[in-house]
Short mmCIF file of all heavy atoms in Angstrom, two decimals:
data_model
loop_
_atom_site.label_atom_id
_atom_site.label_comp_id
_atom_site.label_asym_id
_atom_site.label_seq_id
_atom_site.Cartn_x
_atom_site.Cartn_y
_atom_site.Cartn_z
N ALA A 1008 36.31 -7.91 -61.67
CA ALA A 1008 37.12 -8.42 -60.45
C ALA A 1008 38.23 -9.26 -61.08
O ALA A 1008 38.01 -10.14 -61.91
CB ALA A 1008 36.21 -9.23 -59.62
N LEU A 1009 39.47 -8.96 -60.64
CA LEU A 1009 40.65 -9.67 -61.08
C LEU A 1009 41.49 -10.03 -59.93
O LEU A 1009 41.74 -9.24 -59.02
CB LEU A 1009 41.46 -8.76 -62.06
CG LEU A 1009 42.79 -9.27 -62.60
CD1 LEU A 1009 42.53 -10.43 -63.50
CD2 LEU A 1009 43.50 -8.13 -63.32
N LEU A 1010 41.90 -11.30 -59.99
CA LEU A 1010 42.76 -11.87 -58.84
C LEU A 1010 43.92 -12.58 -59.44
O LEU A 1010 43.71 -13.60 -60.21
CB LEU A 1010 41.88 -12.81 -57.98
CG LEU A 1010 42.51 -13.28 -56.68
CD1 LEU A 1010 42.78 -12.22 -55.72
CD2 LEU A 1010 41.66 -14.36 -56.07
N ALA A 1011 45.08 -12.16 -59.17
CA ALA A 1011 46.35 -12.87 -59.71
C ALA A 1011 47.07 -13.44 -58.47
O ALA A 1011 47.42 -12.75 -57.54
CB ALA A 1011 47.21 -11.89 -60.40
N ALA A 1012 47.36 -14.77 -58.50
CA ALA A 1012 47.98 -15.44 -57.38
C ALA A 1012 49.21 -16.25 -57.95
O ALA A 1012 49.01 -17.18 -58.69
CB ALA A 1012 47.02 -16.39 -56.67
N ARG A 1013 50.42 -15.89 -57.50
CA ARG A 1013 51.56 -16.62 -57.86
C ARG A 1013 51.78 -17.64 -56.75
O ARG A 1013 51.95 -17.30 -55.53
CB ARG A 1013 52.79 -15.73 -58.03
CG ARG A 1013 54.02 -16.46 -58.43
CD ARG A 1013 55.09 -15.55 -58.98
NE ARG A 1013 55.58 -14.62 -57.95
CZ ARG A 1013 56.53 -13.71 -58.18
NH1 ARG A 1013 57.00 -13.55 -59.37
NH2 ARG A 1013 56.90 -12.93 -57.16
N ILE A 1014 51.88 -18.87 -57.17
CA ILE A 1014 51.91 -20.00 -56.12
C ILE A 1014 53.33 -20.31 -55.67
O ILE A 1014 54.30 -20.00 -56.35
CB ILE A 1014 51.25 -21.28 -56.74
CG1 ILE A 1014 52.15 -21.76 -57.85
CG2 ILE A 1014 49.83 -21.03 -57.23
CD1 ILE A 1014 51.74 -23.19 -58.36
N HIS A 1015 53.35 -20.72 -54.45
CA HIS A 1015 54.61 -21.20 -53.83
C HIS A 1015 54.49 -22.61 -53.37
O HIS A 1015 53.34 -23.03 -52.93
CB HIS A 1015 55.02 -20.27 -52.64
CG HIS A 1015 55.18 -18.85 -53.00
ND1 HIS A 1015 56.32 -18.44 -53.81
CD2 HIS A 1015 54.55 -17.68 -52.71
CE1 HIS A 1015 56.23 -17.12 -53.97
NE2 HIS A 1015 55.18 -16.64 -53.32
N THR A 1016 55.55 -23.34 -53.35
CA THR A 1016 55.58 -24.69 -52.90
C THR A 1016 56.24 -24.77 -51.51
O THR A 1016 57.34 -24.15 -51.39
CB THR A 1016 56.26 -25.60 -53.88
OG1 THR A 1016 55.66 -25.53 -55.18
CG2 THR A 1016 56.29 -27.05 -53.39
N LEU A 1017 55.72 -25.51 -50.63
CA LEU A 1017 56.35 -25.60 -49.26
C LEU A 1017 57.51 -26.61 -49.42
O LEU A 1017 57.32 -27.75 -49.86
CB LEU A 1017 55.27 -26.12 -48.33
CG LEU A 1017 55.70 -25.98 -46.79
CD1 LEU A 1017 55.78 -24.48 -46.41
CD2 LEU A 1017 54.63 -26.65 -45.91
N PRO A 1018 58.69 -26.22 -48.99
CA PRO A 1018 59.85 -27.13 -49.12
C PRO A 1018 59.66 -28.43 -48.39
O PRO A 1018 59.02 -28.40 -47.33
CB PRO A 1018 60.99 -26.29 -48.58
CG PRO A 1018 60.56 -24.86 -48.66
CD PRO A 1018 59.06 -24.92 -48.49
N ALA A 1019 60.21 -29.46 -48.91
CA ALA A 1019 60.03 -30.79 -48.30
C ALA A 1019 60.70 -30.84 -46.90
O ALA A 1019 60.18 -31.62 -46.02
CB ALA A 1019 60.62 -31.90 -49.18
N GLU A 1020 61.75 -30.17 -46.59
CA GLU A 1020 62.38 -30.18 -45.30
C GLU A 1020 61.57 -29.53 -44.28
O GLU A 1020 61.92 -29.61 -43.05
CB GLU A 1020 63.80 -29.52 -45.44
CG GLU A 1020 63.75 -28.05 -45.75
CD GLU A 1020 63.87 -27.90 -47.31
OE1 GLU A 1020 63.68 -28.86 -48.07
OE2 GLU A 1020 64.18 -26.75 -47.76
N ARG A 1021 60.49 -28.87 -44.57
CA ARG A 1021 59.59 -28.31 -43.56
C ARG A 1021 58.34 -29.16 -43.39
O ARG A 1021 57.42 -28.66 -42.71
CB ARG A 1021 59.20 -26.83 -44.01
CG ARG A 1021 60.40 -25.93 -44.13
CD ARG A 1021 60.08 -24.64 -44.76
NE ARG A 1021 59.15 -23.85 -43.94
CZ ARG A 1021 58.72 -22.60 -44.29
NH1 ARG A 1021 59.18 -22.10 -45.41
NH2 ARG A 1021 57.88 -21.97 -43.54
N ILE A 1022 58.39 -30.40 -43.86
CA ILE A 1022 57.27 -31.27 -43.74
C ILE A 1022 57.78 -32.63 -43.20
O ILE A 1022 58.79 -33.14 -43.75
CB ILE A 1022 56.53 -31.53 -44.97
CG1 ILE A 1022 56.02 -30.17 -45.69
CG2 ILE A 1022 55.36 -32.47 -44.79
CD1 ILE A 1022 55.42 -30.34 -47.07
N ALA A 1023 57.13 -33.14 -42.20
CA ALA A 1023 57.54 -34.43 -41.64
C ALA A 1023 56.25 -35.30 -41.52
O ALA A 1023 55.27 -34.80 -40.96
CB ALA A 1023 58.25 -34.31 -40.27
N ALA A 1024 56.29 -36.55 -41.95
CA ALA A 1024 55.10 -37.40 -41.98
C ALA A 1024 55.47 -38.77 -41.59
O ALA A 1024 56.62 -39.25 -41.86
CB ALA A 1024 54.47 -37.40 -43.35
N TRP A 1025 54.63 -39.46 -40.77
CA TRP A 1025 54.86 -40.84 -40.31
C TRP A 1025 53.57 -41.63 -40.42
O TRP A 1025 52.47 -41.19 -39.99
CB TRP A 1025 55.38 -40.85 -38.83
CG TRP A 1025 56.58 -40.03 -38.66
CD1 TRP A 1025 57.83 -40.34 -38.88
CD2 TRP A 1025 56.55 -38.69 -38.11
NE1 TRP A 1025 58.74 -39.28 -38.57
CE2 TRP A 1025 57.95 -38.28 -38.08
CE3 TRP A 1025 55.60 -37.76 -37.77
CZ2 TRP A 1025 58.34 -37.01 -37.66
CZ3 TRP A 1025 56.07 -36.52 -37.32
CH2 TRP A 1025 57.37 -36.14 -37.29
N ASP A 1026 53.71 -42.86 -40.87
CA ASP A 1026 52.54 -43.76 -40.79
C ASP A 1026 52.52 -44.39 -39.50
O ASP A 1026 53.53 -44.80 -38.86
CB ASP A 1026 52.66 -44.80 -41.86
CG ASP A 1026 52.56 -44.26 -43.33
OD1 ASP A 1026 51.78 -43.27 -43.45
OD2 ASP A 1026 53.22 -44.77 -44.24
N VAL A 1027 51.32 -44.57 -38.90
CA VAL A 1027 51.18 -45.09 -37.57
C VAL A 1027 50.30 -46.36 -37.60
O VAL A 1027 49.19 -46.31 -38.08
CB VAL A 1027 50.48 -44.08 -36.61
CG1 VAL A 1027 50.29 -44.58 -35.25
CG2 VAL A 1027 51.29 -42.74 -36.65
N PRO A 1028 50.83 -47.45 -37.04
CA PRO A 1028 49.97 -48.66 -37.01
C PRO A 1028 48.83 -48.46 -35.99
O PRO A 1028 48.89 -47.60 -35.04
CB PRO A 1028 50.95 -49.68 -36.48
CG PRO A 1028 52.34 -49.19 -36.70
CD PRO A 1028 52.18 -47.71 -36.61
N ALA A 1029 47.76 -49.18 -36.12
CA ALA A 1029 46.63 -49.08 -35.20
C ALA A 1029 46.91 -49.77 -33.92
O ALA A 1029 46.24 -50.79 -33.56
CB ALA A 1029 45.42 -49.62 -35.87
#
Side-chain angles (χ1 to χ4, degrees):
L1009 176 65
L1010 187 66
R1013 183 163 65 181
I1014 67 172
H1015 298 293
T1016 302
L1017 196 65
E1020 61 270 15
R1021 297 171 63 179
I1022 304 173
W1025 304 277
D1026 293 329
V1027 181

